[in-house]
């Protein structure tokens, strides 16, 4: 990385961290004063009312960090700051749409039938600027008309967005998954990318810095001292859009790198997202099979299975994150030794084996 890029990382991270901390303190004070609570129910991991507006701080903090880096880095280094192309405008529009949708959902509640088309619109915005062959490596899907390939990717983006929305049922889980994903993309684009990917690296650091104060309040905060906070749909939808964008940016990796590795770029970028995507797909199919809405609520998430066995939230979070890392490593190893479809099938078999073991242990504990 250039000196200017390293300085940009510092400014972006510091700016995002500071503003996130300031905004979260204000949100906590206002939310507890006005009793803007998420009331506990049979699916909740909490027993006391907790505000769920922590996600309000995410988008402003990330944008502030990036803006600070863009203006101050050139003043210190004399170098042109990281490049921003039109894809980031699409990301901003998509994220704003989901950010506002999340605010309304957190404050008054929105039906899934309304949120689904909004998520579709955000997905369309995110895939509009993709290259001509977005499903490269996924033969025979590459033979489909371009419009149909884009439609499949919109569905995939909606799956990612909903995955991060649905795993936000345990303290620190969704935010930790995002930090894990950003760490992966930080390494991916730092090691395999070009100078054009410097903005992605700075962006990833800003996202991680934004989530550090939130994780502090979400995991270690206490309702009794009015320091506990959830991200709500505002946060999970915003983060889902951002993670989807990073995943899609795998298509921008240099062609010679993809050829040398002999992998499908989208499959390579999906490594940190497999477990939440698989879990969401399983839940959707299970609910549809039982003649219920795929967006209906239940306690069949993997974190519910572990919590119902008596594991603490901290142990449950650790088990799931470690499982996601192992699944991602397995995925990357398989990608270099077999074709993409065999890799995905073996990935899913490994995921189902994990769920099966957890489910059997739960059944045994309930007898």
């Amino acid at each position: 990385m250039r000196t200017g890029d390293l300085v940009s990382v510092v400014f972006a991270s510091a700016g995002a961290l500071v503003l996130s901390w300031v905004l979260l303190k204000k949100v906590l004070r206002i939310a507890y004063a006005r009793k803007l609570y998420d009331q506990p129910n049979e699916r909740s991991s909490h027993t006391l009312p907790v505000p769920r507006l922590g996600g309000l701080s995410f988008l402003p903090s990330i944008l502030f960090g990036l803006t600070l880096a863009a203006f101050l880095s050139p003043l210190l280094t004399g170098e042109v700051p990281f490049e921003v192309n039109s894809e980031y405008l699409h990301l901003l529009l998509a994220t704003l749409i989901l950010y506002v949708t999340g605010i309304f959902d957190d404050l008054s509640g929105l039906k899934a039938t309304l949120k689904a088309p909004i998520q579709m619109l955000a997905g369309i915005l995110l895939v509009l600027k993709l290259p001509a062959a977005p499903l490269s490596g996924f033969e025979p899907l590459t033979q489909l008309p371009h419009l149909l390939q884009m439609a499949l990717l919109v569905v995939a983006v909606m799956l990612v967005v909903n995955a991060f929305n649905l795993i936000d049922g345990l303290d620190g889980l969704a935010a930790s998954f995002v930090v894990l994903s950003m760490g992966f993309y930080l390494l991916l684009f730092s090691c395999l990318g070009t100078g054009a990917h410097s903005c992605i690296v700075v962006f990833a650091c800003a996202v991680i810095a934004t989530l550090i104060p939130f994780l502090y309040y979400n995991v270690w905060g206490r309702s009794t001292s009015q320091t506990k906070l959830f991200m709500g749909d505002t946060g999970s939808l915003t983060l889902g859009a951002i993670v989807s964008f990073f995943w899609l940016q795998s298509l921008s990796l240099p062609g010679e790198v993809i050829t040398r590795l002999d992998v499908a770029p989208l499959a390579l970028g999906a490594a940190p997202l497999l477990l939440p995507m698989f879990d969401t797909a399983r839940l959707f199919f299970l609910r549809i099979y039982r003649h219920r809405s795929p967006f209906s609520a239940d306690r069949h998430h993997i974190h519910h299975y572990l919590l119902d066995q008596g594991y603490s939230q901290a142990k449950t979070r650790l088990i799931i994150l470690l499982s996601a890392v192992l699944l991602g490593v397995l995925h990357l190893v398989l990608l270099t030794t077999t074709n993409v479809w065999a890799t995905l099938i073996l990935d899913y078999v490994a995921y189902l084996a994990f769920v099966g073991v957890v489910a059997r242990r739960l059944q045994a504990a309930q007898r």
Side-chain angles (χ1 to χ4, degrees):
M1 294 180 66
R2 301 175 305 168
T3 302
D5 295 332
L6 291 174
V7 173
S8 295
V9 165
V10 172
F11 278 127
S13 302
L17 179 71
V18 171
L19 185 61
S20 177
W21 206 287
V22 171
L23 290 178
L24 285 172
K25 283 189 173 183
K26 291 185 179 296
V27 169
L28 276 167
R29 187 163 56 250
I30 294 172
Y32 276 101
R34 299 189 179 182
K35 302 185 184 305
L36 302 173
Y37 296 139
D38 177 43
Q39 297 295 338
N41 54 43
E42 67 278 2
R43 292 176 290 102
S44 301
S45 58
H46 61 292
T47 57
L48 297 174
V50 178
R52 56 177 179 178
L53 295 171
L56 283 171
S57 69
F58 294 171
L59 186 58
S61 300
I62 294 169
L63 291 177
F64 177 73
L66 293 176
T67 303
L68 193 68
F71 279 101
L72 295 184
S73 180
L75 296 178
L76 288 181
T77 65
E79 297 179 5
V80 177
F82 49 86
E83 300 176 11
V84 177
N85 56 39
S86 58
E87 292 180 354
Y88 288 88
L89 176 59
H90 286 246
L91 170 64
L92 179 60
L93 291 174
T95 307
L96 276 173
I97 289 171
L98 293 179
Y99 180 77
V100 173
T101 300
I103 292 173
F104 279 103
D105 196 22
D106 287 334
L107 292 177
S108 57
L110 295 177
K111 293 183 178 180
T113 51
L114 176 59
K115 289 192 289 185
I118 294 174
Q119 292 174 5
M120 184 180 297
L121 174 60
I124 291 171
L125 287 169
L126 289 174
V127 306
L128 273 179
K129 301 293 290 185
L130 294 183
L135 295 181
S136 173
F138 285 88
E139 285 76 12
L141 295 183
T142 51
Q143 305 303 316
L144 294 174
H146 179 69
L147 190 61
L148 188 52
Q149 291 188 48
M150 301 292 272
L152 290 175
L153 281 178
V154 170
V155 174
V157 167
M158 293 177 67
L159 179 63
V160 173
V161 171
N162 278 286
F164 280 90
N165 184 236
L166 293 177
I167 64 171
D168 185 32
L170 183 71
D171 289 349
L173 184 58
S176 296
F177 257 116
V178 174
V179 170
L180 181 68
S181 301
M182 291 300 106
F184 172 80
Y185 294 123
L186 186 62
L187 290 173
L188 180 67
F189 291 105
S190 295
C191 297
L192 302 182
T194 65
H197 293 106
S198 58
C199 186
I200 297 180
V201 173
V202 176
F203 192 1
C205 292
V207 174
I208 293 172
T210 294
L211 293 177
I212 290 173
F214 171 76
L215 281 167
Y216 172 78
Y217 287 118
N218 183 229
V219 175
W220 291 282
R222 295 289 178 267
S223 302
T224 51
S225 58
Q226 298 190 347
T227 56
K228 192 168 187 64
L229 191 65
F230 295 155
M231 69 170 66
D233 280 7
T234 308
S236 61
L237 293 177
T238 298
L239 294 176
I242 291 172
V243 172
S244 297
F245 173 79
F246 274 84
W247 175 42
L248 294 174
Q249 286 303 299
S250 303
L251 290 167
S252 69
L253 288 169
E256 60 271 16
V257 171
I258 297 301
T259 301
R260 185 175 72 250
L261 295 176
D262 192 25
V263 296
L266 281 180
L268 178 64
L273 311 178
L274 293 174
L275 194 146
M277 289 177 70
F278 284 167
D279 206 45
T280 300
R282 176 182 64 87
L283 286 170
F284 279 6
F285 284 126
L286 182 63
R287 291 165 183 171
I288 293 171
Y289 176 77
R290 295 179 175 178
H291 307 290
R292 296 170 50 199
S293 166
F295 299 99
S296 59
D298 55 34
R299 285 189 63 86
H300 291 290
H301 295 271
I302 187 65
H303 60 267
H304 286 142
Y305 288 171
L306 289 167
L307 289 172
D308 289 345
Q309 289 183 51
Y311 287 104
S312 67
Q313 290 202 39
K315 287 184 178 179
T316 298
R317 184 170 58 248
L318 180 61
I319 291 171
I320 294 175
L321 290 173
L322 286 177
S323 300
V325 170
L326 291 175
L327 185 60
V329 171
L330 172 66
H331 174 75
L332 293 175
V333 171
L334 289 173
L335 274 180
T336 62
T337 58
T338 185
N339 67 62
V340 65
W341 294 112
T343 295
L344 292 175
I345 291 171
L346 291 172
D347 288 341
Y348 197 64
V349 169
Y351 159 76
L352 288 179
F354 170 58
V355 174
V357 170
V358 173
R360 281 197 298 271
R361 287 175 59 90
L362 176 60
Q363 291 175 350
Q366 292 176 338
R367 288 172 185 167

